[in-house]
Amino acid sequence: MTLDTEPDLSDFSRIDFSNGAVAAVSGGSDSTALLLLLKAHLDRNAPATKLLAVTIDHQLRPQAAAEAQAVARLCAARGIAHRVLAWSGHKPSTGLPAAAREARYRLLAEAADAAGIGLILTGHTADDQAETVLMRQARGAWARDERASDGGPSDEGQNDDGPRDEGRGLAGMAPATLYEWRHWIVRPLLGVRRAELREFLRREEVAWIEDPTNADTGFERPRVRAALAEGDGAPRVAEAIALARKAAAEREQLGHRAAMLIRSLASRPAAGLVRLDRDFATAGDSRAAIYALRILLAATGGTAFLADQARSEALFGRLRTGPLCATLSRTVIDSRRTGIFLHRELRDLPPAVEASDNALWDGRRRITLGDSPGALLIAPLLVAPLGTALAAKRAIAGRGTPASLARAALAAEPALWRDGECLGLLGEGPGLLEEGPMPAAVAAYPVVAPFARFLPSFDLVPADAVAALLGAAPVPASPFGGHSAGLPRAKA
């Protein structure tokens, strides 16, 4: 079928579809329109592109299975590959919308992996963007985790966009979000109103499913949606979208300035230890310096959320006045004449756990197992902190770094253990301990904790700067135009 008319979807032309696309399709109007418009775009411009539609059956309503089959029939009629994946098992009695979103993204990523696709598209619209901004504005934008906004279990009206932060939530949903540092979730319809999409579907004589959960005013988003449907809704939507654009631009600019400070003033003199030049405390751009500090504290401490804004501002003020030792976001901040040092505090470190593939250890390292698991059968290999006793025995190269700080940082780093014996500190590459060959191909790769699960495209530049500092994998190429994220890399 050739679609002669369609809403302005200029974002489609910017997206790199060279590795295919997964379209999240619930059967609602937004995702159904997304699928048809995407198929038409690919047919015209890249007919060889692999396209897979995926419907998630949350198993929360008895009608969901029949609705998924309706999507399957639509896909079959249009020649689109389709899969239905079910969220099976226990459903929580509280926090159900957030749990459903977690399950949905996990299942979409699994489907993308199985198909060899790295790009996931969702049908979020300008209406969803306005609702998101108004919800966050009403609760002060920072009062709750951005990833816990209420809504129904369908893919319309949902979002996950990075770590909680004061004010940053007013930027709304990003055009793209990197999920678990691997899959881009792209929202090409953010500039299109839902009414336009529904009119398009009516012209094409395509029906859609109305999920009753999306009208359940027991949830926050449907309440906001109902309020916007009243007489003054259109101006409020326009104002919210304008606010989101302004906040997003400011957020990106702040990130660029913070990244400049990180690249020029931060280094990693020893494992687990970050050093900031003394000039960091006197930076003229204090707003960017505080933002950089918050990201670095979260990354060093392995926390999913940025350090508290007010406490970070107070800490930065104290850094300007002289030496101090404090803790924030599980991170020790030790300010001395020779620099400002950050390392993971020894409190609340994880207990010994069996080495398992793709496990996130302490929020800071991704543990992976290679293809030679034979040694694991001899006795379980455990990952646990090195500890102060073993760290104290190690000879630490000074390089201007106080040995006591290097050892304190080292004590919180992951090591490999068996039968109560430490086999050595886990290195940052596959197959080797720092001291010699591993008994199995176990690796511990650094991650950028506050962005490890969700990295909005607003925050690519500071995230990449911290990744370079920590030795983490660089941010994958942007999904827009096939370009890389455009981020200069600096040596740590």
Side-chain angles (χ1 to χ4, degrees):
M1 182 188 70
T2 300
L3 304 181
D4 297 324
T5 59
E6 61 184 56
D8 179 11
L9 299 177
S10 57
D11 276 353
F12 270 153
S13 64
R14 298 174 53 221
I15 300 172
D16 179 5
F17 290 108
S18 58
N19 292 320
V22 166
V25 186
S26 69
S29 60
D30 305 351
S31 61
T32 300
L34 168 71
L35 179 65
L36 298 186
L37 293 166
L38 176 59
K39 179 66 163 61
H41 173 83
L42 295 177
D43 284 348
R44 289 192 302 268
N45 299 285
T49 298
K50 181 187 293 186
L51 173 60
L52 173 65
V54 175
T55 302
I56 307 301
D57 178 359
H58 296 84
Q59 297 189 342
L60 295 173
R61 296 182 296 111
Q63 305 91 339
E67 292 168 356
Q69 289 307 308
V71 176
R73 289 191 294 274
L74 173 66
C75 289
R78 307 291 170 129
I80 301 170
H82 178 254
R83 289 189 64 188
V84 178
L85 299 178
W87 179 30
S88 56
H90 172 73
K91 306 298 191 293
S93 56
T94 60
L96 182 60
R101 282 191 295 277
E102 287 289 322
R104 178 165 55 257
Y105 283 119
R106 173 179 56 80
L107 291 169
L108 288 170
E110 289 175 3
D113 277 333
I117 295 173
L119 188 66
I120 299 167
L121 278 71
T122 66
H124 296 97
T125 66
D127 298 75
D128 296 318
Q129 183 75 298
E131 292 159 9
T132 298
V133 171
L134 290 174
M135 286 191 303
R136 295 176 184 176
Q137 189 178 43
R139 60 184 180 237
W142 62 89
R144 292 174 53 189
D145 183 358
E146 291 183 23
R147 289 171 291 181
S149 60
D150 290 327
S154 75
D155 62 322
E156 275 96 61
Q158 314 291 325
N159 72 89
D160 287 273
D161 245 353
R164 172 173 54 194
D165 189 14
E166 179 176 339
R168 294 168 69 233
L170 295 182
M173 292 178 277
T177 297
L178 186 63
Y179 175 68
E180 292 198 334
W181 216 259
R182 295 184 60 194
H183 297 284
W184 283 106
I185 300 169
V186 181
R187 305 176 178 101
L189 304 182
L190 278 183
V192 184
R193 293 295 305 271
R194 179 171 294 117
E196 294 180 80
L197 296 174
R198 293 188 169 188
E199 180 57 31
F200 159 71
L201 291 176
R202 291 187 188 98
R203 291 198 305 270
E204 298 300 321
E205 298 182 347
V206 175
W208 64 86
I209 297 162
E210 293 285 3
D211 183 347
T213 313
N214 289 327
D216 184 352
T217 55
F219 296 115
E220 181 181 16
R221 185 176 293 272
R223 289 197 299 271
V224 174
R225 185 170 297 172
L228 289 176
E230 298 174 355
D232 63 343
R236 292 184 65 196
V237 169
E239 290 171 6
I241 292 173
L243 176 60
R245 288 173 178 162
K246 180 176 182 292
E250 292 175 351
R251 177 167 162 177
E252 286 196 47
Q253 293 167 5
L254 180 63
H256 276 269
R257 286 153 34 211
M260 289 178 60
L261 291 174
I262 292 169
R263 292 190 185 107
S264 60
L265 299 177
S267 60
R268 189 174 54 135
L273 188 65
V274 171
R275 178 187 179 275
L276 298 172
D277 291 353
R278 287 298 320 171
D279 291 344
F280 183 87
T282 57
D285 189 351
S286 60
R287 187 163 174 251
I290 291 169
Y291 185 41
L293 179 62
R294 298 175 67 206
I295 296 173
L296 290 171
L297 289 171
T300 303
T303 61
F305 304 135
L306 301 189
D308 178 78
Q309 174 80 26
R311 295 181 67 187
S312 298
E313 290 173 354
L315 172 63
F316 186 73
R318 291 177 63 194
L319 290 175
R320 290 174 176 261
T321 62
L324 69 87
C325 187
T327 59
L328 182 58
S329 288
R330 306 199 313 187
T331 297
V332 174
I333 304 97
D334 195 318
S335 178
R336 305 185 178 198
R337 180 182 55 81
T338 54
I340 302 167
F341 296 90
L342 312 177
H343 64 85
R344 171 71 161 95
E345 67 174 329
L346 296 178
R347 187 171 57 115
D348 296 330
L349 285 167
V353 294
E354 188 167 345
S356 60
D357 195 41
N358 203 37
L360 185 62
W361 186 85
D362 196 39
R364 298 181 290 138
R365 295 289 184 86
R366 182 72 64 183
I367 307 298
T368 63
L369 304 182
D371 297 326
S372 303
L376 292 172
L377 302 177
I378 301 172
L381 290 173
L382 304 179
V383 179
L386 182 66
T388 55
L390 291 177
K393 296 178 181 179
R394 297 174 59 89
I396 303 295
R399 291 183 293 173
T401 301
S404 60
L405 286 179
R407 289 193 175 100
L410 198 63
E413 288 296 283
L416 203 62
W417 298 73
R418 174 184 283 149
D419 293 333
E421 177 186 359
C422 181
L423 304 179
L425 192 69
L426 274 172
E428 293 176 359
L432 290 177
L433 292 171
E434 283 199 347
E435 291 79 3
M438 277 192 179
V442 184
Y445 293 98
V447 301
V448 183
F451 302 117
R453 189 150 178 79
F454 294 102
L455 169 58
S457 52
F458 303 135
D459 299 318
L460 293 184
V461 174
D464 195 74
V466 176
L469 173 68
L470 300 181
V475 176
S478 165
F480 297 116
H483 301 294
S484 69
L487 312 171
R489 300 304 302 264
K491 292 183 180 179

